[in-house]
């Protein structure tokens, strides 16, 4: 994230570069751990998709409980703009998106995909975040 910010800041010296991370609501399970705090220092905000998570049995899914008061406090502490996209989506993961080159747009709600015209460059980072 630091390298991306630096690269785009050099290309657009006169503009403030803002990075927004589009993620699932499971981000709140690790965001306040050391690696999460370090990562969040590099972004201006989060666009969080509420989604269904795989349960313990083959065909079970559940919706993560979120404490909105706690989330607002996290945003203030970490200086993050946090926006939510509501609406049920089937389970999907970053792995599914990465393995579908050229079709990433189909995994996004229309309200998010509309932020990225066909001509815009969208950078994806192939990484796994692990809880410390």
């Amino acid at each position: 994230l630091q390298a991306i910010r630096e690269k785009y800041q050099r290309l657009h010296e006169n503009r403030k570069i803002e990075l927004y991370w589009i993620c699932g609501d499971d981000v709140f399970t690790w965001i306040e751990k050391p690696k999460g705090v370090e990562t969040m220092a590099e972004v201006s905000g989060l666009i969080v998709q509420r989604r269904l998570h795989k349960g313990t049995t083959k065909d079970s899914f559940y919706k993560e409980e979120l404490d909105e008061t706690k989330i607002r406090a996290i945003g203030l502490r970490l200086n993050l703009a946090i926006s939510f996209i509501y609406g049920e989506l089937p389970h999907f993961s970053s792995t599914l998106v990465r393995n579908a080159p050229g079709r990433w747009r189909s995994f996004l709600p229309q309200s998010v995909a509309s932020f990225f015209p066909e001509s815009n460059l969208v950078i994806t980072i192939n990484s796994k975040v692990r809880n410390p």
Side-chain angles (χ1 to χ4, degrees), residues 110-130:
Q110 184 57 40
S111 59
V112 174
S114 66
F115 281 101
F116 304 105
E118 293 294 332
S119 61
N120 275 10
L121 173 64
V122 175
I123 299 170
T124 59
I125 300 171
N126 187 2
S127 66
K128 286 276 185 185
V129 175
R130 301 201 190 287

Side-chain angles (χ1 to χ4, degrees), residues 37-99:
V37 171
E38 179 183 342
T39 301
M40 294 304 114
E42 299 301 326
V43 298
S44 301
L46 302 174
I47 300 171
V48 182
Q49 171 65 56
R50 295 288 286 144
R51 64 185 176 111
L52 297 175
H53 300 272
K54 280 187 179 181
T56 55
T57 61
K58 181 182 174 192
D59 293 324
S60 70
F61 295 90
Y62 67 95
K63 193 171 187 178
E64 188 75 36
E65 292 292 324
L66 294 179
D67 179 342
E68 291 190 29
T69 302
K70 180 180 177 185
I71 291 168
R72 278 192 292 277
I74 290 170
L76 288 172
R77 262 193 314 279
L78 299 179
N79 195 28
L80 292 173
I82 301 176
S83 297
F84 285 92
I85 300 169
Y86 292 94
E88 297 302 324
L89 289 178
H91 173 75
F92 67 92
S93 67
S94 56
T95 301
L96 286 172
V97 175
R98 282 192 300 273
N99 291 335

Side-chain angles (χ1 to χ4, degrees), residues 16 32 73 91:
K16 179 183 176 194
E32 292 188 288
H91 173 75

